[in-house]
Amino acid sequence: MSPVKVFGHPMLTNVARVMLFLEEVGAEYELVPIDFVAGEHKRSQHVQLNPFAKMPGFQDGDLVLFESRAIAKYILRKYGGTAGLDLLGENSGIEELAVVDMWTEVEAQQYYPAISPVVFECIIIPFIIPGGGATPNRSVVDESLERLRGVLGIYEARLEKSSYLAGDSISFADLNHIPFTFYFMTTPYAKVFDEYPKVKAWWEMLMARPAVQRVCKHMPTEFKLGAQY
Amino acid sequence: MSPVKVFGHPMLTNVARVMLFLEEVGAEYELVPIDFVAGEHKRSQHVQLNPFAKMPGFQDGDLVLFESRAIAKYILRKYGGTAGLDLLGENSGIEELAVVDMWTEVEAQQYYPAISPVVFECIIIPFIIPGGGATPNRSVVDESLERLRGVLGIYEARLEKSSYLAGDSISFADLNHIPFTFYFMTTPYAKVFDEYPKVKAWWEMLMARPAVQRVCKHMPTEFKLGAQY
C-alpha cells in the first residue's frame, strides 16, 4: 500500500495537477475518491486534511498537505530524483531556478486569470447548475479572450527563443498550464491558440507526454449542461 | 553602485513586496522610479524588463526578472544567507519546506482573493478614477469580508498551534501578507482582525519588524478619493 494518498476527483484541475506530477515522476499513489457532488469535501474527515474544504487533500505517511502547487513541488523534491527530472530547476544555478519560478508565477498570476473565466463560463458554471440552461456570459468571455491573446502574444515571443517557457528543458512552469488549458481546448474558443504557432506547438508537445495523457484520460472532454459527472 | 535595481513605485504592493525582502536580508539596491500615472510602465524601456508592462521590473547585473514572488525568492536565495535567515525553509528538510510552500500558496490562493477586493473597492478604484466620487461597491465588500472571516478563522486555529503560519519561525509565507494587509488596515474594515486575537498578535509582530517599517513608510495611509499620488 502506497503511503501517498490523493483525496479528490481527477476531473478537478487541482487534483489533476497533483496527479500529473506524481505520474511524471512515476511515484506510486492511491487516489481516494471524494464525492464532491454529495459535499463530501466539506465533511470533517476531509476538512482535517484540507481546512479550506477544497480538493485535493494529500497525505504522505504522517505529512498532510493542501494547496496543489505546494504539493506538486513536494512530490518533485521527494520523488523527482529517481525520474532524472529537474522540473523545479533546483539542480541548476539560482538564476535558472529564478527563471522557472518566474514563469511559474506567470502561469498563476497572468495566464490563469486570463484563461479561467472562459472555462468557468463555458464548462464549470453550466456543469454545477443543476438542470442546465446557463449560457456563457458573452462579455466575460470576450474580455477574457482579449486578455488571453495578450498573454499568448508574450508566450509566442518567448517560445521563439526557447523550446519551453523557462528555457530549452521542460519545467514545472510549463506543466502547470495543463489542467486549465486542457479544458479550454474543449471550448469553442480553442482555435485562439492557432493564432500563435509557437504556443500551439508547445501545447502539443506537452500533451504528447505519456504522464499528461494518463492524467487527462480522467478529464471529460464533453459536458452536458447541468448534468453532473 | 548596486547591481540590484527595482523599477517601480514603492506604494504598489508588488514593488513593496520586493523591497521588503531586500530590506529583510539587508541587500543594497537602487529604486528606479517609474511614473505609472504617466504610463511609463507601458513604454518600451520598461516592457523590455517586464513584458506584461507591470511593476516591478528587476535587474541584478545581467539577470532581468519580473513577477514579485519569484523575484523575492531569488533575493532570499542570493542575499539571504548573510542575514542568517531561512525564510524559504530551504535549509530545513523537504517536509518543512513543503509547509512553507503550502502557506505561501494559501496567501496567494485563499487570502489574497478574499482581502484584495476590499482594498480595490476602498482604495485602488477610488484612487485611479480621476476626480473621485467612486464609492465602494457594498455587496463586493460584504462578500469579501465574509470570505476573509472564513480564512482568518483558519489562520486563528493555525496560530493557536504555532507562532507563525509555517511553524515557530517566521517565513516567506508570513511576510507575503504584508503589502495588501497593510492597505486593508487603513480601511474602515480593519477591525475585522480584532475578532481573531492570535491573527491580530501575529500581524502586530510582523509590523514591528524594522524591515517592514522601512518599506511601509513609503506606503500612504490616507488616500484622497481620485487624487493621485
Side-chain angles (χ1 to χ4, degrees):
Chain A
M1 207 172 75
S2 167
V4 176
K5 290 187 174 66
V6 180
F7 300 79
H9 192 289
M11 76 179 287
L12 300 176
T13 52
N14 288 331
V15 179
R17 184 196 318 278
V18 167
M19 289 171 63
L20 176 59
F21 289 99
L22 285 162
E23 292 285 346
E24 281 286 352
V25 300
E28 276 186 47
Y29 64 99
E30 183 188 343
L31 180 66
V32 183
I34 298 290
D35 185 351
F36 63 91
V37 176
E40 212 179 337
H41 56 300
K42 295 179 183 169
R43 294 188 194 142
S44 67
Q45 201 176 2
H46 186 75
V47 172
Q48 280 173 12
L49 295 169
N50 186 331
F52 292 94
K54 294 185 175 173
M55 285 164 287
F58 178 85
Q59 201 169 9
D60 185 4
D62 291 335
L63 181 70
V64 168
L65 293 174
F66 43 92
E67 289 296 335
S68 64
R69 287 173 172 83
I71 297 167
K73 287 182 184 176
Y74 167 79
I75 291 164
L76 291 175
R77 291 189 185 114
K78 177 144 184 202
Y79 299 103
T82 53
L85 289 168
D86 181 27
L87 293 175
L88 295 173
E90 291 183 339
N91 300 334
S92 307
I94 57 169
E95 300 201 351
E96 289 81 0
L97 176 47
V99 173
V100 173
D101 276 345
M102 179 175 81
W103 287 101
T104 300
E105 290 298 328
V106 166
E107 187 278 328
Q109 309 292 338
Q110 315 296 337
Y111 184 86
Y112 171 79
I115 203 168
S116 63
V118 180
V119 175
F120 275 97
E121 289 294 328
C122 295
I123 296 177
I124 299 175
I125 296 172
F127 178 79
I128 59 177
I129 296 179
T135 52
N137 181 322
R138 186 79 216 184
S139 72
V140 170
V141 170
D142 286 348
E143 200 181 295
S144 292
L145 292 175
E146 191 187 330
R147 194 171 170 185
L148 180 61
R149 284 189 169 97
V151 175
L152 293 180
I154 293 166
Y155 278 34
E156 185 75 5
R158 172 68 189 174
L159 294 168
E160 275 166 10
K161 293 184 193 142
S162 59
S163 309
Y164 293 97
L165 289 172
D168 284 322
S169 302
I170 190 166
S171 78
F172 187 63
D174 302 296
L175 290 165
N176 270 302
H177 288 74
I178 303 260
F180 258 87
T181 311
F182 178 84
Y183 284 131
F184 180 84
M185 289 303 190
T186 72
T187 74
Y189 307 104
K191 60 185 178 299
V192 166
F193 274 64
D194 296 341
E195 301 163 25
Y196 305 92
K198 294 283 181 192
V199 177
K200 185 75 186 282
W202 164 81
W203 174 249
E204 285 168 354
M205 204 157 55
L206 295 181
M207 283 303 293
R209 295 177 74 81
V212 174
Q213 291 182 2
R214 285 196 294 278
V215 173
C216 290
K217 76 179 181 208
H218 299 287
M219 300 168 76
T221 54
E222 282 182 40
F223 294 85
K224 292 181 188 159
L225 292 185
Q228 289 163 333
Y229 79 114
Chain B
M1 208 172 75
S2 168
V4 177
K5 290 186 174 66
V6 180
F7 300 78
H9 192 289
M11 76 179 287
L12 300 176
T13 52
N14 289 331
V15 179
R17 184 194 320 276
V18 168
M19 289 171 63
L20 177 58
F21 289 99
L22 285 162
E23 292 285 345
E24 281 286 352
V25 300
E28 276 185 48
Y29 64 99
E30 182 187 343
L31 180 68
V32 183
I34 298 289
D35 185 351
F36 63 92
V37 176
E40 212 179 339
H41 55 299
K42 296 179 182 167
R43 295 190 193 140
S44 67
Q45 201 177 0
H46 186 74
V47 172
Q48 280 174 12
L49 295 169
N50 186 331
F52 293 94
K54 293 185 174 173
M55 285 165 284
F58 178 84
Q59 201 169 9
D60 186 3
D62 290 336
L63 181 69
V64 168
L65 293 174
F66 44 93
E67 289 297 334
S68 64
R69 287 173 172 83
I71 297 167
K73 287 182 183 176
Y74 168 78
I75 290 164
L76 292 175
R77 290 187 185 115
K78 177 144 184 202
Y79 299 103
T82 52
L85 288 167
D86 180 29
L87 293 174
L88 295 173
E90 291 183 339
N91 300 335
S92 306
I94 58 168
E95 300 202 351
E96 289 80 359
L97 175 48
V99 173
V100 173
D101 276 347
M102 179 175 81
W103 287 102
T104 299
E105 290 298 328
V106 167
E107 186 277 329
Q109 309 292 339
Q110 314 297 337
Y111 184 85
Y112 171 79
I115 202 169
S116 63
V118 180
V119 175
F120 275 98
E121 288 294 328
C122 296
I123 296 177
I124 298 174
I125 296 172
F127 178 79
I128 59 178
I129 295 178
T135 52
N137 181 322
R138 186 79 216 185
S139 73
V140 170
V141 170
D142 285 349
E143 200 181 294
S144 292
L145 292 176
E146 191 187 328
R147 191 170 172 187
L148 180 61
R149 282 189 170 98
V151 175
L152 293 180
I154 293 166
Y155 278 34
E156 185 74 7
R158 173 67 190 175
L159 294 168
E160 276 166 8
K161 294 184 192 142
S162 59
S163 308
Y164 293 98
L165 289 172
D168 283 322
S169 303
I170 190 165
S171 79
F172 187 64
D174 303 295
L175 289 166
N176 270 302
H177 288 73
I178 303 262
F180 258 88
T181 311
F182 178 84
Y183 283 131
F184 179 84
M185 289 303 190
T186 73
T187 75
Y189 308 104
K191 60 187 179 299
V192 166
F193 274 64
D194 296 341
E195 300 163 25
Y196 305 91
K198 294 283 182 193
V199 177
K200 186 76 187 282
W202 164 80
W203 174 248
E204 286 169 354
M205 204 156 55
L206 295 181
M207 283 305 291
R209 295 177 74 81
V212 174
Q213 291 183 0
R214 285 197 294 278
V215 172
C216 290
K217 75 178 181 207
H218 299 287
M219 300 168 76
T221 54
E222 283 183 39
F223 293 86
K224 292 180 189 161
L225 291 185
Q228 289 163 333
Y229 79 115

